[in-house]
Amino acid sequence: MNGNDRSRYWKGPDKSTVPGDGEFAEELPRGTFMLKRRDFLHVAGFAAAVAATTGCSRAPVQNAIPMLVQPEQLVPGTSLHYATTCGGCSAGCGVLAKVRDGRPIKLEGNPQHPLSRGGLCAVGQASLLGLYDSQRLKSPLRDGKEVAWEALDTEVTSAFSDLRAKGGSLRLLTGSITSPTTRSVVDQFLNTFPNAKHVQYDAVSYSAILDAHERTHNIRAVPHFHFDRAAVIVAVDADFLGTWLSPVEYTAAYREGRKLNGARSSCSWHVQFESRMSLTGSKADERYTIGPAERSELLRQIADRIESLANGRTGLPARQLSVPPSAIEKVARKLWETRGRSIVVSGSNDVDEQLVINRLNHLLGNYGTTVDLTSPSYQAVGSDQALSALFDELQQGKVDALLVAGVNPVFDLPFAIDAIKHVPLVISFAQRMDETSLLAKYVAPGPHFLETWSDAEPVAGIITSSQPMVQQFGQTRTLAKTLSKWMGTSASDQEIMRQYWKMAYFPRQKYAASFDAFWDRSIQDGFFELAPALRNVAAFHATPVGVEQKAASRESGAYSLVLYPTMAMRGGSEAYNSWLHELPDPITKVTWDNYACVSPATATKMGLAEGDVVRISSGQLSLELPTYIQPGQHNDVVAVPLGYGSVLSKRFANIGPHWIDALPSVGTDGCVGKNAAGFVVFAGTRRFELPVRIQKTGSRQILASTQLHHELSVPETLAKLNPEPRPIIQETTLAAYKQNPNAGVHEHEEREDLWPADHPYKGHRWAMVVDLEACSGCSACVIACQAENNIPVVGKDEIRRNREMHWMRIDRYYSNRPDGRVDVAFQPVMCQQCENAPCETVCPVLATVHSEEGLSQQVYNRCVGTRYCANNCPYKGRRFNWFNYSRDDKLQNLVLNPDVTVRSRGVMEKCSFCVQRIEAARIDAKCQGRDIADGDIQTACQQSCPAKAIYFGDINDPKSEVAKKMRDPRRYRVLSELNLRPAVGYLTIVRNRDENKGGEHHG
């Protein structure tokens, strides 16, 4: 950001509050060998002379052994794509796994999948790293020591026989199992015991939604929400674009409902009520902050007002809330005007509040249109009541055997450690030594989802398949196979799955005449669809809603603690993943830590600065965390991310240039962040909000935040010539856009410069356009770029020194509204591939050059790391590689993309528009005797984007999508007044608001 932009758009606190004053302000880490440049040239020259005098010496002979029997369909150096299902969470997104020479190297969304529609979130992209995790368990354990499967099976089956004989109790505790095949095996296994139960729970609970529908519709289910069918969307603390239920699916559907086509535009109206700034709230057309204690009253007032509109009565008197009455009236009227085409959702885990949500959707006629219970979601089926009953049994010593799969109850519910210790036999099916596995007698590790056969039914009638992409790296077994083995069956996962499909699905399908044909097509596509089984869904019937004066329960002077999952850590199962730890949070831009978010007003009241450590306490429980000052948050709320403080992150305790890994052990010292799950309380359901006190401790902890790194800048001399630069973020309203599609776009007048007036591009000219209206800031593109381009992780200490290596970043800007509310805008920034590239003019060794197809190329072999190019780049899209990253972990090396160079210390690197993909498409087209067609090339960031906000292609082809977007009236270029002529364009943000204004937000 430059000059006067700070008056309208701003990223965070003043730069003076952050240590270091630039990307290269800090010295190299202690102990790093350093040479002055003059000394380096002396040494380099001497080395060259020695090489010249010894040029006759022979290199060691390396023998190449030919492949005598060529595997079918396998050509060395050529990638194949296989359809499967993402196992990063329970959403069940469709995936295409890119396999190179027998190893998966990239995960992409399956564009044919009916739910995810080709998108894939950051967690899904990063789950590939887990496949090559050297600390993943490769064999079963007994009392923490390796044991053969045969011995474990013998001992466990013997224990189970004794358990059946004495009528003992067995409990299986899992996450939400979306695999119908696995559910079938689980049911068969539990039926062999006289006293066995299956309890499912989700780390972040949705139990209240299921409980409420059981009371109002006689079906315990989460509806399938269709955001694409909604003209009005009202969300209350539901981050459906970020972490709630199925964010990739919802992002694609949300985008589908917001089509901008000039005067014929059809754009949903989205209002968000929330206590903290969420990703979804940042995209809302209207956003209001409310405290958790006000939520029930807010919902009741909206429901009562809609009932009044239905009966033709005037509104009822309402208790004053943080939200103005006019806003509630407006929301109610818009909902009523779009009956059957609206949707109301809530992220609360309070059954009474979810009952009001059901009442609202019933009054509006949304059931059967935007809210579907006939084809419900199975992505979350956990029951908090069943979980509470289980822990009562555990505390009373009524459970003889506990099997835990897919969840980590000791981490999710820290009080569970005492209860589990009462169980004589604990068996864990975890892939890693997590908190629960450390207490287990046996650990029967499961494989990575890319190593095995499985299936999933995330939504009724949509069945997805998983197939192995690589041979298992260790002796692991799926839950289904292990339970089958303990029942005396030795079938493989594929045989178990085929047998179930033949019985359950083949009679219902109409795709193929034979089962083999049905199987082959389903595995090739990665999914199939069936008419959902008939369900007895009762008509809505009102149930009494408890009147709870929540505001009165708060202590005088207390704050409301809000616990929430982040885009990267979710519930904590990804704590082993360094890619996700280093991913800047889309809202706070903090990496490698959790923190306590407070509003600016609260920070001023308490005298807090960013990084000041506060103590959060409730009763005997307390937690100390650094402060993050979050605009747009309710003043009475302190928000803390979940998922941190896991022993799975202990490997990063000694993180440094050489990645010294530490083995897991009991305790939390050395973990990344702190576990806040101890504050979760049971009150019928698990509550993630409760009254707490916060107190300043006097100590400080510098957060590894990237919010002020790589700020867009204009040279001071040009700033004087142009005192009113064009805004970085350009936006307008829907009303203004319909009147004039060019509304909000700031034209500029090019100035004369030393470059030629035009650069001829006779062949292709590659360019990119990013639709800022569509971009949700989810950061899936950042991880996709990291996986595709072998971008290293630098660690918390180096992030603090402004040395992160991501080639692509998501800049997050705030802007103030006249009424004091805060707007948020996201802008993906990468190398802009400038036609008049300022980096090229200052490189002393011509390491950065321009290609005949418009790409700004970086020649690593020439680069000597002067960093002149980075200093001269106003977009700050270049990175200096500070380290020779150790590659001692041979297993993790398999994640590297062989098409992209692994850079060495001392060179500059940056986005290349995935030039390796351009060249691959060129070769394919040449082999087929044709030209490259539009759509043949998708960059990694483009392909992963759930919102389809990125367009890439050849702008010399007037029919290409990117050329059309370049001609779109909404298109503008950032810092265009510098005459750099970037190849990246942006489309303005269009907010669906009543104000008929556009283009008035100057930088």
Side-chain angles (χ1 to χ4, degrees):
M1 172 163 46
N2 62 52
N4 297 332
D5 279 1
R6 194 174 293 275
S7 64
R8 168 60 184 168
Y9 295 102
W10 42 284
K11 283 187 176 182
D14 187 81
K15 194 185 299 184
S16 62
T17 63
V18 180
D21 190 27
E23 186 173 4
F24 313 110
E26 300 288 342
E27 296 181 355
L28 288 172
R30 289 187 298 273
T32 303
F33 178 67
M34 299 175 61
L35 282 176
K36 296 181 179 178
R37 185 167 298 278
R38 186 185 301 273
D39 295 335
F40 169 76
L41 293 175
H42 281 306
V43 174
F46 177 75
V50 172
T53 59
T54 60
C56 296
S57 62
R58 294 186 177 182
V61 177
Q62 295 183 354
N63 297 318
I65 302 175
M67 188 177 292
L68 299 180
V69 179
Q70 184 80 15
E72 185 180 357
Q73 298 180 341
L74 177 61
V75 178
T78 301
S79 299
L80 299 174
H81 290 81
Y82 296 93
T84 187
T85 303
C86 180
C89 69
S90 61
C93 296
V95 164
L96 296 179
K98 181 180 180 180
V99 180
R100 178 75 169 266
D101 298 335
R103 62 185 173 96
I105 59 173
K106 186 69 172 62
L107 298 181
E108 311 284 4
N110 185 347
Q112 305 302 321
H113 196 273
L115 298 181
S116 54
R117 310 185 195 185
L120 193 61
C121 70
V123 171
Q125 294 280 343
S127 61
L128 177 67
L129 190 63
L131 175 65
Y132 303 111
D133 179 11
S134 59
Q135 290 191 15
R136 188 159 59 94
L137 294 175
K138 305 299 191 300
S139 61
L141 305 177
R142 176 182 57 208
D143 295 325
K145 298 180 180 179
E146 290 190 3
V147 64
W149 274 110
E150 293 78 7
L152 184 146
D153 292 338
T154 299
E155 294 177 20
V156 170
T157 52
S158 175
F160 286 165
S161 296
D162 295 341
L163 194 64
R164 294 186 185 97
K166 69 177 184 180
S169 61
L170 178 142
R171 299 293 181 263
L172 174 62
L173 181 62
T174 72
S176 291
I177 296 180
T178 58
S179 168
T181 298
T182 302
R183 286 199 302 263
S184 174
V185 174
V186 165
D187 291 341
Q188 296 174 35
F189 174 75
L190 295 179
N191 287 336
T192 65
F193 292 87
N195 182 4
K197 292 181 182 178
H198 180 201
V199 177
Q200 299 179 76
Y201 84 94
D202 303 288
V204 179
S205 179
Y206 304 92
S207 182
I209 301 177
L210 293 108
D211 296 342
H213 281 94
E214 188 173 26
R215 291 171 58 177
T216 59
H217 292 82
N218 294 344
I219 177 172
R220 192 173 191 279
V222 172
H224 186 200
F225 298 106
H226 295 277
F227 289 92
D228 52 337
R229 302 176 185 175
V232 174
I233 300 169
V234 177
V236 184
D237 274 328
D239 189 12
F240 62 84
L241 298 180
T243 59
W244 192 69
L245 277 172
S246 185
V248 172
E249 173 194 353
Y250 297 156
T251 299
Y254 184 80
R255 171 75 192 280
E256 188 69 19
R258 298 174 71 89
K259 296 181 178 179
L260 298 175
N261 187 22
R264 297 187 298 274
S265 297
S266 175
C267 186
S268 62
W269 184 68
H270 170 204
V271 60
Q272 187 88 1
F273 299 98
E274 58 185 10
S275 56
R276 65 176 184 88
M277 179 67 78
S278 71
L279 194 75
T280 306
S282 69
K283 293 298 296 181
D285 298 302
E286 298 288 352
R287 177 183 178 275
Y288 299 93
T289 58
I290 60 168
E294 300 176 295
R295 198 167 49 218
S296 293
E297 178 64 18
L298 170 74
L299 292 172
R300 187 191 66 80
Q301 289 188 21
I302 295 175
D304 288 348
R305 185 69 191 103
I306 289 176
E307 276 198 337
S308 298
L309 292 171
N311 297 323
R313 298 198 306 264
T314 58
L316 300 176
R319 184 166 65 87
Q320 190 68 29
L321 300 173
S322 299
V323 180
S326 59
I328 297 175
E329 175 71 16
K330 179 180 178 180
V331 168
R333 286 191 175 277
K334 280 187 172 288
L335 285 171
W336 183 248
E337 292 167 359
T338 55
R339 298 185 296 279
R341 296 184 298 114
S342 61
I343 191 169
V344 186
V345 294
S346 172
S348 168
N349 204 37
D350 185 316
V351 176
D352 286 345
E353 293 178 18
Q354 292 297 341
L355 288 173
V356 181
I357 292 292
N358 293 1
R359 174 187 167 202
L360 275 166
N361 283 315
H362 166 69
L363 290 171
L364 297 168
N366 293 335
Y367 283 105
T369 55
T370 60
V371 183
D372 186 4
L373 275 175
T374 59
S375 299
S377 165
Y378 299 141
Q379 294 154 329
V381 298
S383 171
D384 285 346
Q385 291 183 354
L387 181 65
S388 178
L390 170 63
F391 280 107
D392 287 342
E393 289 183 317
L394 293 173
Q395 290 283 10
Q396 298 168 19
K398 295 182 178 179
V399 176
D400 298 299
L402 177 66
L403 283 60
V404 182
V407 287
N408 186 3
V410 176
F411 177 77
D412 299 331
L413 307 162
F415 64 83
I417 186 170
D418 294 328
I420 291 177
K421 286 181 177 179
H422 289 93
V423 184
L425 176 62
V426 177
I427 303 176
S428 171
F429 295 85
Q431 294 182 6
R432 298 168 181 83
M433 287 302 289
D434 57 22
E435 286 82 353
T436 303
S437 298
L438 291 169
L439 298 180
K441 171 71 175 179
Y442 298 101
V443 180
H448 192 275
F449 68 87
L450 293 175
E451 294 179 316
T452 188
W453 292 93
S454 188
D455 57 10
E457 189 176 11
V459 173
I462 299 176
I463 294 89
T464 65
S465 62
S466 297
Q467 57 179 317
M469 305 293 144
V470 65
Q471 187 175 359
Q472 292 184 14
F473 290 124
Q475 302 298 315
T476 59
R477 295 193 313 212
T478 64
L479 175 64
K481 185 175 180 179
T482 299
L483 296 183
S484 296
K485 183 72 174 179
W486 293 344
M487 289 188 290
T489 303
S490 298
S492 67
D493 287 300
Q494 184 183 26
E495 292 169 341
I496 296 171
M497 184 170 155
R498 282 177 62 92
Q499 182 180 359
Y500 180 80
W501 280 27
K502 196 169 187 177
M503 174 194 67
Y505 298 136
F506 179 63
R508 297 167 51 193
Q509 61 83 38
K510 299 178 181 178
Y511 297 107
S514 68
F515 175 74
D516 287 338
F518 164 67
W519 172 269
D520 290 343
R521 176 175 173 179
S522 301
I523 298 302
Q524 178 178 325
D525 293 345
F527 70 94
F528 63 90
E529 296 185 68
L530 296 175
L534 294 178
R535 288 172 177 81
N536 182 22
V537 180
F540 174 86
H541 50 276
T543 62
V545 178
V547 178
E548 186 179 354
Q549 295 295 330
K550 299 180 183 179
S553 68
R554 296 176 59 239
E555 303 174 40
S556 176
Y559 291 84
S560 293
L561 172 65
V562 173
L563 303 171
Y564 67 96
T566 65
M567 294 289 297
M569 287 298 103
R570 302 293 176 92
S573 60
E574 308 300 321
Y576 72 91
N577 197 307
S578 58
W579 286 357
L580 294 174
H581 276 296
E582 191 143 306
L583 176 68
D585 183 85
I587 299 296
T588 67
K589 312 306 294 182
V590 175
T591 68
W592 289 104
D593 248 326
N594 60 340
Y595 34 80
C597 294
V598 298
S599 71
T602 300
T604 300
K605 175 183 175 181
M606 297 187 63
L608 294 171
E610 187 170 302
D612 286 348
V613 176
V614 295
R615 182 179 297 107
I616 305 170
S617 57
S618 175
Q620 300 299 315
L621 186 65
S622 66
L623 184 68
E624 293 187 2
L625 288 171
T627 298
Y628 180 85
I629 301 174
Q630 177 60 65
Q633 181 164 306
H634 195 277
N635 293 336
D636 294 335
V637 166
V638 53
V640 174
L642 291 167
Y644 290 84
S646 170
V647 296
L648 296 177
S649 65
K650 279 199 169 186
R651 62 182 69 192
F652 308 124
N654 297 319
I655 187 173
H658 302 291
W659 283 89
I660 304 171
D661 286 350
L663 293 175
S665 59
V666 178
T668 59
D669 294 338
C671 297
V672 176
K674 295 183 179 179
N675 187 8
F679 286 97
V680 177
V681 295
F682 275 94
T685 55
R686 279 181 292 155
R687 301 294 178 87
F688 295 82
E689 302 149 343
L690 75 159
V692 295
R693 291 185 175 275
I694 56 176
Q695 180 183 2
K696 186 176 179 180
T697 64
S699 58
R700 283 184 56 78
Q701 177 182 330
I702 300 175
L703 293 169
S705 172
T706 66
Q707 67 177 349
L708 297 180
H709 294 188
H710 316 303
E711 287 190 278
L712 275 66
S713 62
V714 175
E716 185 177 351
T717 54
L718 289 179
K720 291 180 180 179
L721 294 174
N722 188 20
E724 295 186 4
R726 305 297 180 263
I728 303 300
I729 298 292
Q730 299 187 15
E731 63 178 284
T732 186
T733 64
L734 181 62
Y737 170 75
K738 285 184 174 182
Q739 289 184 7
N740 176 18
N742 194 242
V745 177
H746 294 262
E747 302 293 343
H748 72 279
E749 182 179 333
E750 291 191 356
R751 302 179 184 275
E752 294 183 3
D753 56 32
L754 298 177
W755 290 95
D758 191 21
H759 297 271
Y761 297 97
K762 298 180 181 179
H764 303 292
R765 186 184 178 191
W766 307 113
M768 179 178 287
V769 173
V770 182
D771 189 346
L772 299 185
E773 165 59 27
C775 175
S776 68
C778 71
S779 300
C781 55
V782 178
I783 297 295
C785 177
Q786 183 164 20
E788 173 74 17
N789 294 296
N790 303 332
I791 296 174
V793 173
V794 302
K796 180 177 179 179
D797 183 56
E798 300 308 320
I799 294 289
R800 286 171 168 171
R801 299 168 185 253
N802 299 14
R803 293 175 182 169
E804 76 272 18
M805 295 296 295
H806 293 130
W807 287 2
M808 186 176 191
R809 70 180 190 269
I810 309 292
D811 284 346
R812 183 265 297 118
Y813 294 97
Y814 299 119
S815 59
N816 294 319
R817 298 185 63 178
D819 59 3
R821 287 184 287 161
V822 175
D823 280 338
V824 178
F826 298 104
Q827 185 174 65
V829 180
M830 67 297 291
C831 172
Q832 304 284 293
Q833 315 291 334
C834 302
E835 189 173 329
N836 298 338
C839 54
E840 298 176 15
T841 58
V842 295
C843 181
V845 293
L846 293 180
T848 174
V849 295
H850 218 67
S851 79
E852 61 183 8
E853 295 183 346
L855 296 181
S856 177
Q857 299 177 323
Q858 184 71 23
V859 184
Y860 297 133
N861 287 343
R862 291 182 187 172
C863 182
V864 295
T866 63
R867 290 166 284 169
Y868 297 161
C869 54
N871 293 337
N872 216 40
C873 175
Y875 302 99
K876 299 306 174 188
R878 289 176 166 269
R879 303 290 177 265
F880 178 69
N881 190 347
W882 287 89
F883 304 114
N884 278 324
Y885 291 95
S886 175
R887 301 290 175 182
D888 295 336
D889 191 332
K890 294 182 179 180
L891 180 60
Q892 194 164 8
N893 285 347
L894 296 177
V895 80
L896 297 175
N897 183 356
D899 293 328
V900 178
T901 302
V902 177
R903 284 76 60 190
S904 60
R905 173 191 170 98
V907 302
M908 301 300 304
E909 52 186 80
K910 65 172 190 66
C911 166
S912 64
F913 273 176
C914 288
V915 66
Q916 68 277 4
R917 295 192 175 200
I918 296 175
E919 294 306 314
R922 194 192 314 276
I923 293 171
D924 288 344
K926 185 176 181 180
C927 291
Q928 297 172 25
R930 62 175 179 83
D931 293 330
I932 297 176
D934 187 40
D936 282 353
I937 306 168
Q938 290 193 70
T939 61
C941 56
Q942 173 192 16
Q943 193 164 12
S944 67
C945 180
K948 296 295 176 279
I950 302 176
Y951 302 87
F952 175 81
D954 179 12
I955 58 172
N956 279 353
D957 175 7
K959 297 182 180 179
S960 67
E961 282 297 315
V962 72
K964 294 176 183 177
K965 295 300 178 183
M966 279 291 186
R967 297 191 297 268
D968 192 302
R970 293 168 53 213
R971 196 267 300 162
Y972 73 97
R973 289 188 174 98
V974 173
L975 300 182
S976 57
E977 62 270 24
L978 300 182
N979 288 0
L980 302 179
R981 298 183 183 177
V984 177
Y986 295 92
L987 302 183
T988 58
I989 297 173
V990 179
R991 303 188 190 270
N992 190 353
R993 289 178 181 162
D994 294 336
E995 308 97 272
N996 188 11
K997 298 178 182 179
E1000 296 189 358
H1001 301 318
H1002 295 273

